[in-house]
Protein backbone atom coordinates (compact mmCIF):
# COMPACT_ATOMS: atom_id res chain seq x y z
CA UNK A 1 0.00 0.00 0.00
CA UNK A 2 1.43 3.34 -1.10
CA UNK A 3 0.94 6.33 1.18
CA UNK A 4 0.03 9.62 -0.43
CA UNK A 5 1.77 12.93 0.33
CA UNK A 6 -0.60 13.99 3.08
CA UNK A 7 -0.44 10.63 4.83
CA UNK A 8 3.35 10.78 4.75
CA UNK A 9 3.23 14.24 6.30
CA UNK A 10 0.88 13.06 9.04
CA UNK A 11 3.17 10.14 9.76
CA UNK A 12 6.13 12.51 10.11
CA UNK A 13 4.22 14.80 12.49
CA UNK A 14 3.15 11.91 14.71
CA UNK A 15 6.64 10.38 14.66
CA UNK A 16 8.13 13.64 15.93
CA UNK A 17 5.42 15.01 18.20
CA UNK A 18 3.14 12.10 19.12
CA UNK A 19 1.06 11.49 21.09
CA UNK A 20 -0.92 14.19 19.32
CA UNK A 21 -4.64 14.59 18.69
CA UNK A 22 -6.28 14.57 15.29
CA UNK A 23 -7.30 18.16 15.86
CA UNK A 24 -3.69 19.21 16.50
CA UNK A 25 -2.48 17.36 13.42
CA UNK A 26 -5.12 19.11 11.31
CA UNK A 27 -4.00 22.52 12.60
CA UNK A 28 -0.41 21.75 11.73
CA UNK A 29 -1.49 20.97 8.17
CA UNK A 30 -3.86 23.95 7.89
CA UNK A 31 -6.74 21.60 7.32
CA UNK A 32 -9.91 20.77 9.17
CA UNK A 33 -10.17 17.61 11.20
CA UNK A 34 -12.79 16.05 8.86
CA UNK A 35 -10.42 16.29 5.92
CA UNK A 36 -7.74 14.17 7.50
CA UNK A 37 -10.10 11.65 9.13
CA UNK A 38 -9.79 9.10 6.26
CA UNK A 39 -5.99 9.47 6.29
CA UNK A 40 -5.84 8.80 10.02
CA UNK A 41 -8.12 5.81 9.60
CA UNK A 42 -5.89 4.42 6.87
CA UNK A 43 -2.68 4.97 8.81
CA UNK A 44 -4.20 3.31 11.87
CA UNK A 45 -5.61 0.34 9.97
CA UNK A 46 -2.38 -0.22 8.11
CA UNK A 47 -0.58 -0.37 11.44
CA UNK A 48 1.55 2.78 11.11
CA UNK A 49 -0.23 4.59 13.94
CA UNK A 50 -1.89 3.61 17.17
CA UNK A 51 -4.68 5.70 18.66
CA UNK A 52 -5.57 5.96 22.35
CA UNK A 53 -8.73 7.74 23.58
CA UNK A 54 -8.04 11.10 25.29
CA UNK A 55 -4.34 10.77 24.40
CA UNK A 56 -4.20 10.90 20.65
CA UNK A 57 -2.21 9.28 17.89
CA UNK A 58 1.26 7.89 18.40
CA UNK A 59 3.73 6.12 16.19
CA UNK A 60 3.27 2.36 16.56
CA UNK A 61 6.92 1.51 16.05
CA UNK A 62 5.69 -1.58 14.24
CA UNK A 63 6.81 -1.94 10.69
CA UNK A 64 3.78 -1.52 8.48
CA UNK A 65 2.79 -4.49 6.37
CA UNK A 66 5.07 -4.45 3.39
CA UNK A 67 3.62 -5.56 0.12
CA UNK A 68 4.59 -8.98 -1.06
CA UNK A 69 6.16 -7.61 -4.23
CA UNK A 70 8.32 -5.17 -2.28
CA UNK A 71 9.54 -7.90 0.05
CA UNK A 72 10.34 -10.34 -2.72
CA UNK A 73 11.93 -7.85 -5.09
CA UNK A 74 14.20 -6.62 -2.32
CA UNK A 75 15.81 -10.08 -2.10
CA UNK A 76 19.05 -10.10 -4.05
CA UNK A 77 21.38 -12.96 -4.96
CA UNK A 78 24.25 -11.36 -3.03
CA UNK A 79 22.27 -11.52 0.24
CA UNK A 80 21.52 -15.23 0.01
CA UNK A 81 24.41 -16.77 -1.95
CA UNK A 82 26.73 -19.48 -0.61
CA UNK A 83 30.45 -19.93 -1.01
CA UNK A 84 31.40 -21.58 -4.33
CA UNK A 85 33.55 -24.72 -4.36
CA UNK A 86 35.82 -24.89 -7.40
CA UNK A 87 38.00 -27.66 -8.80
CA UNK A 88 40.39 -27.84 -11.74
CA UNK A 89 39.69 -29.52 -15.07
CA UNK A 90 42.27 -32.27 -14.57
CA UNK A 91 40.91 -33.51 -11.22
CA UNK A 92 39.67 -37.11 -11.40
CA UNK A 93 35.98 -37.92 -11.08
CA UNK A 94 36.85 -39.94 -7.97
CA UNK A 95 38.56 -36.97 -6.33
CA UNK A 96 35.70 -34.69 -7.35
CA UNK A 97 33.22 -36.94 -5.56
CA UNK A 98 35.44 -36.92 -2.46
CA UNK A 99 35.62 -33.13 -2.68
CA UNK A 100 31.84 -32.94 -2.95
CA UNK A 101 31.47 -34.96 0.26
CA UNK A 102 34.20 -33.06 2.08
CA UNK A 103 32.62 -29.71 1.29
CA UNK A 104 29.09 -31.06 1.56
CA UNK A 105 27.85 -29.36 -1.60
CA UNK A 106 25.68 -30.59 -4.45
CA UNK A 107 27.57 -28.81 -7.21
CA UNK A 108 31.22 -28.18 -8.04
CA UNK A 109 32.41 -25.48 -10.42
CA UNK A 110 35.29 -26.29 -12.75
CA UNK A 111 37.81 -23.57 -13.61
CA UNK A 112 40.73 -23.29 -16.02
CA UNK A 113 44.27 -22.12 -15.23
CA UNK A 114 43.15 -18.47 -15.26
CA UNK A 115 40.49 -19.38 -12.65
CA UNK A 116 37.74 -18.76 -15.18
CA UNK A 117 34.60 -20.89 -15.20
CA UNK A 118 34.68 -23.70 -17.78
CA UNK A 119 32.30 -26.31 -16.38
CA UNK A 120 29.85 -27.52 -13.77
CA UNK A 121 29.56 -30.89 -12.03
CA UNK A 122 26.33 -31.92 -10.34
CA UNK A 123 25.75 -34.96 -8.12
CA UNK A 124 23.78 -36.33 -11.04
CA UNK A 125 26.77 -35.96 -13.42
CA UNK A 126 29.06 -37.73 -10.97
CA UNK A 127 26.56 -40.50 -10.22
CA UNK A 128 26.11 -41.12 -13.97
CA UNK A 129 29.84 -41.43 -14.54
CA UNK A 130 30.15 -43.82 -11.58
CA UNK A 131 27.52 -46.07 -13.01
CA UNK A 132 29.18 -46.81 -16.32
CA UNK A 133 32.79 -46.79 -15.19
CA UNK A 134 35.05 -48.61 -12.76
CA UNK A 135 38.03 -46.38 -13.35
CA UNK A 136 36.72 -43.06 -12.15
CA UNK A 137 40.08 -42.36 -10.56
CA UNK A 138 41.52 -42.12 -14.08
CA UNK A 139 38.85 -39.98 -15.74
CA UNK A 140 39.38 -36.19 -15.48
CA UNK A 141 36.27 -34.15 -14.73
CA UNK A 142 36.50 -32.10 -17.94
CA UNK A 143 35.35 -35.24 -19.82
CA UNK A 144 32.06 -35.44 -17.97
CA UNK A 145 31.29 -31.86 -16.92
CA UNK A 146 28.61 -29.61 -18.40
CA UNK A 147 30.65 -26.94 -20.18
CA UNK A 148 30.33 -23.39 -21.41
CA UNK A 149 28.30 -22.10 -23.22
CA UNK A 150 25.72 -24.50 -21.73
CA UNK A 151 26.12 -23.09 -18.22
CA UNK A 152 23.37 -20.95 -16.75
CA UNK A 153 24.69 -18.37 -14.32
CA UNK A 154 23.64 -15.22 -12.49
CA UNK A 155 25.06 -11.99 -11.08
CA UNK A 156 25.29 -10.78 -7.49
CA UNK A 157 22.88 -7.93 -8.14
CA UNK A 158 20.19 -10.12 -9.73
CA UNK A 159 16.98 -10.62 -7.80
CA UNK A 160 16.63 -13.98 -6.11
CA UNK A 161 13.42 -14.32 -8.10
CA UNK A 162 15.33 -14.20 -11.39
CA UNK A 163 17.79 -16.82 -10.15
CA UNK A 164 14.93 -19.05 -8.94
CA UNK A 165 13.24 -18.70 -12.33
CA UNK A 166 16.41 -19.83 -14.13
CA UNK A 167 16.77 -22.91 -11.91
CA UNK A 168 13.16 -23.94 -12.52
CA UNK A 169 13.34 -23.25 -16.29
CA UNK A 170 16.58 -25.14 -16.82
CA UNK A 171 15.79 -27.85 -14.25
CA UNK A 172 19.05 -27.36 -12.38
CA UNK A 173 19.75 -27.23 -8.65
CA UNK A 174 22.36 -24.50 -8.56
CA UNK A 175 23.77 -21.48 -10.41
CA UNK A 176 27.27 -20.03 -10.24
CA UNK A 177 27.29 -16.35 -9.29
CA UNK A 178 29.80 -14.76 -11.64
CA UNK A 179 31.59 -11.55 -12.47
CA UNK A 180 32.17 -11.12 -16.20
CA UNK A 181 35.79 -10.06 -16.55
CA UNK A 182 35.58 -9.67 -20.31
CA UNK A 183 38.17 -12.39 -20.87
CA UNK A 184 36.20 -14.91 -18.82
CA UNK A 185 33.79 -15.49 -15.97
CA UNK A 186 35.06 -15.35 -12.40
CA UNK A 187 33.04 -17.48 -9.95
CA UNK A 188 32.25 -15.53 -6.78
CA UNK A 189 29.32 -17.45 -5.34
CA UNK A 190 26.75 -20.17 -5.61
CA UNK A 191 22.96 -19.99 -5.48
CA UNK A 192 21.07 -23.21 -4.79
CA UNK A 193 17.51 -24.29 -4.15
CA UNK A 194 18.57 -24.50 -0.50
CA UNK A 195 19.25 -20.75 -0.58
CA UNK A 196 15.82 -20.18 -2.12
CA UNK A 197 14.20 -22.38 0.53
CA UNK A 198 15.96 -20.36 3.25
CA UNK A 199 14.78 -17.16 1.58
CA UNK A 200 11.22 -18.49 1.50
CA UNK A 201 11.44 -19.13 5.26
CA UNK A 202 12.90 -15.69 5.90
CA UNK A 203 9.90 -14.06 4.23
CA UNK A 204 7.82 -15.47 7.06
CA UNK A 205 10.43 -14.77 9.76
CA UNK A 206 10.58 -11.13 8.76
CA UNK A 207 6.92 -10.81 9.47
CA UNK A 208 6.81 -12.87 12.66
CA UNK A 209 4.42 -15.62 11.65
CA UNK B 1 -4.96 -5.74 6.08
CA UNK B 2 -8.14 -6.99 7.75
CA UNK B 3 -11.42 -5.40 6.75
CA UNK B 4 -13.89 -4.60 9.51
CA UNK B 5 -17.56 -5.60 9.41
CA UNK B 6 -18.78 -2.34 7.85
CA UNK B 7 -16.12 -2.41 5.15
CA UNK B 8 -17.05 -5.99 4.29
CA UNK B 9 -20.71 -4.94 4.02
CA UNK B 10 -19.82 -2.04 1.74
CA UNK B 11 -17.77 -4.36 -0.44
CA UNK B 12 -20.73 -6.75 -0.76
CA UNK B 13 -23.10 -3.92 -1.70
CA UNK B 14 -20.75 -2.60 -4.38
CA UNK B 15 -20.06 -6.09 -5.72
CA UNK B 16 -23.78 -6.67 -6.22
CA UNK B 17 -25.09 -3.27 -7.16
CA UNK B 18 -22.11 -1.21 -8.32
CA UNK B 19 -21.62 1.28 -9.79
CA UNK B 20 -23.25 2.95 -6.82
CA UNK B 21 -22.67 6.34 -5.17
CA UNK B 22 -21.37 6.84 -1.65
CA UNK B 23 -24.70 8.45 -0.77
CA UNK B 24 -26.61 5.37 -1.92
CA UNK B 25 -24.31 3.04 -0.01
CA UNK B 26 -24.82 5.11 3.15
CA UNK B 27 -28.60 4.89 2.76
CA UNK B 28 -28.41 1.12 2.41
CA UNK B 29 -26.49 0.95 5.68
CA UNK B 30 -28.72 3.48 7.50
CA UNK B 31 -25.72 5.71 7.98
CA UNK B 32 -24.75 9.17 6.83
CA UNK B 33 -22.27 9.64 4.05
CA UNK B 34 -19.62 11.17 6.34
CA UNK B 35 -19.55 8.06 8.52
CA UNK B 36 -18.56 5.75 5.70
CA UNK B 37 -16.13 8.15 4.03
CA UNK B 38 -13.04 6.64 5.75
CA UNK B 39 -14.22 3.13 4.87
CA UNK B 40 -14.64 4.05 1.21
CA UNK B 41 -11.21 5.67 1.22
CA UNK B 42 -9.64 2.55 2.69
CA UNK B 43 -11.41 0.20 0.29
CA UNK B 44 -10.33 2.36 -2.65
CA UNK B 45 -6.73 2.69 -1.50
CA UNK B 46 -6.42 -1.00 -0.82
CA UNK B 47 -7.58 -1.67 -4.36
CA UNK B 48 -10.90 -3.37 -3.61
CA UNK B 49 -12.96 -0.58 -5.14
CA UNK B 50 -12.55 1.87 -7.98
CA UNK B 51 -14.29 5.21 -7.97
CA UNK B 52 -15.34 7.21 -11.03
CA UNK B 53 -16.65 10.80 -10.77
CA UNK B 54 -20.38 11.12 -11.45
CA UNK B 55 -20.66 7.32 -11.67
CA UNK B 56 -19.83 6.04 -8.24
CA UNK B 57 -17.98 3.12 -6.76
CA UNK B 58 -17.59 -0.16 -8.53
CA UNK B 59 -15.86 -3.42 -7.72
CA UNK B 60 -12.35 -3.34 -9.15
CA UNK B 61 -12.22 -7.04 -9.94
CA UNK B 62 -8.56 -6.80 -8.97
CA UNK B 63 -7.51 -8.97 -6.11
CA UNK B 64 -6.67 -6.70 -3.20
CA UNK B 65 -3.10 -6.78 -1.96
CA UNK B 66 -2.93 -9.78 0.30
CA UNK B 67 -0.60 -9.63 3.23
CA UNK B 68 2.58 -11.63 3.00
CA UNK B 69 1.61 -13.83 5.94
CA UNK B 70 -1.78 -14.62 4.46
CA UNK B 71 -0.22 -15.55 1.12
CA UNK B 72 2.47 -17.74 2.63
CA UNK B 73 0.27 -19.43 5.20
CA UNK B 74 -2.24 -20.31 2.52
CA UNK B 75 0.38 -22.46 0.77
CA UNK B 76 -0.11 -26.09 1.73
CA UNK B 77 2.02 -29.15 1.03
CA UNK B 78 -0.83 -30.78 -0.91
CA UNK B 79 -0.88 -27.93 -3.43
CA UNK B 80 2.82 -28.13 -4.27
CA UNK B 81 3.81 -31.75 -3.72
CA UNK B 82 5.24 -34.02 -6.44
CA UNK B 83 4.59 -37.66 -7.15
CA UNK B 84 6.64 -40.01 -4.94
CA UNK B 85 8.85 -42.68 -6.49
CA UNK B 86 9.05 -45.81 -4.36
CA UNK B 87 11.27 -48.89 -4.56
CA UNK B 88 11.42 -52.12 -2.55
CA UNK B 89 14.01 -52.96 0.08
CA UNK B 90 15.59 -55.78 -1.94
CA UNK B 91 16.29 -53.66 -5.05
CA UNK B 92 20.03 -53.38 -5.77
CA UNK B 93 21.86 -50.08 -5.42
CA UNK B 94 22.66 -50.28 -9.14
CA UNK B 95 19.00 -50.63 -10.07
CA UNK B 96 18.06 -47.86 -7.64
CA UNK B 97 20.45 -45.48 -9.40
CA UNK B 98 18.96 -46.47 -12.77
CA UNK B 99 15.48 -45.87 -11.35
CA UNK B 100 16.55 -42.45 -10.10
CA UNK B 101 17.72 -41.49 -13.60
CA UNK B 102 14.68 -42.97 -15.30
CA UNK B 103 12.29 -41.06 -13.04
CA UNK B 104 14.55 -38.02 -12.87
CA UNK B 105 14.18 -37.56 -9.13
CA UNK B 106 16.71 -36.80 -6.42
CA UNK B 107 15.18 -39.06 -3.76
CA UNK B 108 13.67 -42.55 -3.73
CA UNK B 109 11.42 -43.82 -0.95
CA UNK B 110 11.85 -47.44 0.16
CA UNK B 111 8.78 -49.43 1.23
CA UNK B 112 8.21 -52.86 2.77
CA UNK B 113 5.83 -55.55 1.53
CA UNK B 114 2.86 -53.74 3.10
CA UNK B 115 3.87 -50.64 1.09
CA UNK B 116 4.79 -48.82 4.29
CA UNK B 117 7.73 -46.42 4.39
CA UNK B 118 10.93 -47.97 5.78
CA UNK B 119 13.72 -45.90 4.23
CA UNK B 120 14.94 -43.05 2.05
CA UNK B 121 17.66 -42.95 -0.58
CA UNK B 122 19.19 -39.65 -1.65
CA UNK B 123 21.61 -39.05 -4.55
CA UNK B 124 24.21 -38.52 -1.87
CA UNK B 125 23.55 -41.97 -0.32
CA UNK B 126 23.82 -43.64 -3.71
CA UNK B 127 26.95 -41.72 -4.68
CA UNK B 128 28.60 -42.68 -1.39
CA UNK B 129 27.88 -46.35 -1.90
CA UNK B 130 29.22 -46.18 -5.47
CA UNK B 131 32.47 -44.75 -4.26
CA UNK B 132 33.44 -47.55 -1.93
CA UNK B 133 32.02 -50.48 -3.85
CA UNK B 134 32.34 -52.15 -7.25
CA UNK B 135 29.54 -54.60 -6.71
CA UNK B 136 26.58 -52.26 -6.34
CA UNK B 137 24.49 -54.65 -8.40
CA UNK B 138 24.71 -57.10 -5.49
CA UNK B 139 24.01 -54.71 -2.59
CA UNK B 140 20.30 -54.28 -1.69
CA UNK B 141 19.21 -50.73 -0.91
CA UNK B 142 18.08 -51.55 2.64
CA UNK B 143 21.79 -51.82 3.57
CA UNK B 144 22.53 -48.20 2.66
CA UNK B 145 19.24 -46.37 3.11
CA UNK B 146 18.38 -43.91 5.86
CA UNK B 147 15.74 -45.77 7.87
CA UNK B 148 12.89 -45.13 10.27
CA UNK B 149 12.81 -43.57 12.85
CA UNK B 150 15.42 -41.24 11.35
CA UNK B 151 13.15 -40.13 8.53
CA UNK B 152 11.68 -36.64 8.58
CA UNK B 153 8.30 -36.47 6.89
CA UNK B 154 5.27 -34.21 6.56
CA UNK B 155 1.52 -34.34 6.00
CA UNK B 156 -0.57 -33.08 3.08
CA UNK B 157 -2.27 -30.46 5.21
CA UNK B 158 0.98 -29.01 6.60
CA UNK B 159 1.95 -25.53 5.49
CA UNK B 160 4.71 -25.38 2.93
CA UNK B 161 6.52 -23.19 5.43
CA UNK B 162 6.64 -25.99 7.98
CA UNK B 163 7.97 -28.42 5.36
CA UNK B 164 10.60 -25.89 4.24
CA UNK B 165 11.65 -25.39 7.85
CA UNK B 166 12.16 -29.14 8.32
CA UNK B 167 14.32 -29.41 5.20
CA UNK B 168 16.53 -26.53 6.31
CA UNK B 169 16.78 -27.79 9.92
CA UNK B 170 17.64 -31.36 8.94
CA UNK B 171 19.74 -30.38 5.91
CA UNK B 172 17.80 -32.63 3.57
CA UNK B 173 16.53 -32.02 0.04
CA UNK B 174 13.20 -33.77 0.20
CA UNK B 175 10.44 -35.02 2.53
CA UNK B 176 7.98 -37.84 1.99
CA UNK B 177 4.37 -36.74 2.35
CA UNK B 178 2.70 -39.48 4.37
CA UNK B 179 -0.60 -40.68 5.76
CA UNK B 180 -0.23 -42.37 9.13
CA UNK B 181 -2.26 -45.58 8.89
CA UNK B 182 -1.61 -46.57 12.49
CA UNK B 183 0.23 -49.70 11.45
CA UNK B 184 2.65 -47.76 9.25
CA UNK B 185 3.21 -44.72 7.07
CA UNK B 186 1.80 -44.69 3.56
CA UNK B 187 3.76 -42.49 1.13
CA UNK B 188 1.44 -40.28 -0.90
CA UNK B 189 3.74 -37.53 -2.12
CA UNK B 190 7.12 -35.87 -2.15
CA UNK B 191 8.10 -32.30 -1.24
CA UNK B 192 11.45 -31.05 -2.48
CA UNK B 193 13.41 -27.82 -2.51
CA UNK B 194 12.36 -27.62 -6.17
CA UNK B 195 8.73 -27.44 -5.02
CA UNK B 196 9.66 -24.69 -2.57
CA UNK B 197 11.51 -22.81 -5.31
CA UNK B 198 8.44 -23.08 -7.55
CA UNK B 199 6.28 -21.83 -4.66
CA UNK B 200 8.63 -18.89 -4.14
CA UNK B 201 8.22 -18.00 -7.83
CA UNK B 202 4.45 -18.37 -7.63
CA UNK B 203 4.30 -15.81 -4.82
CA UNK B 204 5.52 -13.30 -7.36
CA UNK B 205 3.42 -14.64 -10.24
CA UNK B 206 0.24 -14.31 -8.21
CA UNK B 207 0.93 -10.67 -7.81
CA UNK B 208 2.10 -9.96 -11.35
CA UNK B 209 5.58 -8.66 -10.71
Amino acid sequence: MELNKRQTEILEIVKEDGPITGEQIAVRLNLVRATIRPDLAILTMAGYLDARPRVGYFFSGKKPVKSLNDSINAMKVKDFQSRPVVVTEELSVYDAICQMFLEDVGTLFVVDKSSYLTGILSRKDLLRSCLGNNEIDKVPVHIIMTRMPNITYCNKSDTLLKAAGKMIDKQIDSLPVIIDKGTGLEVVGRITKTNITAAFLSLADDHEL
Side-chain angles (χ1 to χ4, degrees), chain A:
Chain A
M1 198 165 112
E2 292 273 307
L3 298 184
N4 66 28
K5 185 164 167 290
R6 194 198 292 155
Q7 288 155 5
T8 310
E9 283 171 3
I10 293 173
L11 195 58
E12 284 309 310
I13 291 171
V14 179
K15 256 190 203 172
E16 282 183 23
D17 300 323
I20 181 170
T21 66
E23 193 59 51
Q24 290 168 320
I25 298 170
V27 169
R28 293 272 298 267
L29 293 168
N30 287 321
L31 295 168
V32 296
R33 170 73 224 247
T35 309
I36 64 167
R37 195 169 285 135
D39 299 308
L40 288 168
I42 285 163
L43 289 168
T44 309
M45 284 200 61
Y48 290 91
L49 300 185
D50 275 341
R52 210 171 283 158
R54 280 190 300 267
V55 178
Y57 293 92
F58 56 97
F59 186 57
S60 65
K62 283 181 286 191
K63 273 188 205 162
V65 177
K66 227 183 178 183
S67 86
L68 191 63
N69 283 359
D70 289 352
S71 299
I72 293 183
N73 275 323
M75 299 177 130
K76 302 294 181 187
V77 163
K78 63 171 174 290
D79 301 321
F80 289 88
Q81 69 182 25
S82 300
R83 195 175 48 85
V85 179
V86 300
V87 299
T88 57
E89 297 178 321
E90 299 306 323
L91 193 76
S92 73
V93 169
Y94 182 93
D95 288 341
I97 297 174
C98 294
Q99 191 71 13
M100 197 173 260
F101 277 104
L102 274 172
E103 301 275 0
D104 198 21
V105 292
T107 311
L108 298 172
F109 302 126
V110 186
V111 296
D112 64 16
K113 287 178 184 107
S114 316
S115 291
Y116 287 148
L117 180 68
T118 57
I120 287 200
L121 295 163
S122 67
R123 277 195 193 130
K124 211 166 145 182
D125 295 328
L126 294 172
L127 197 54
R128 191 185 292 111
S129 75
C130 269
L131 205 59
N133 203 314
N134 323 341
E135 300 203 307
I136 54 173
D137 55 327
K138 299 197 179 69
V139 181
V141 291
H142 70 79
I143 302 288
I144 67 151
M145 70 188 189
T146 300
R147 56 177 62 241
M148 290 293 286
N150 298 321
I151 297 174
T152 305
Y153 50 82
C154 66
N155 299 302
K156 284 199 294 190
S157 57
D158 286 345
T159 61
L160 208 55
L161 205 57
K162 188 176 171 186
K166 284 181 175 179
M167 284 192 270
I168 293 291
D169 282 350
K170 304 281 181 180
Q171 303 189 349
I172 51 183
D173 289 328
S174 155
L175 299 176
V177 184
I178 61 97
I179 295 175
D180 192 338
K181 293 286 190 180
T183 45
L185 305 180
E186 185 189 344
V187 184
V188 294
R190 175 171 59 99
I191 277 285
T192 69
K193 287 176 180 168
T194 303
N195 299 134
I196 307 290
T197 302
F200 179 76
L201 277 175
S202 78
L203 275 175
D205 286 349
D206 282 354
H207 294 74
E208 294 165 32
L209 271 190

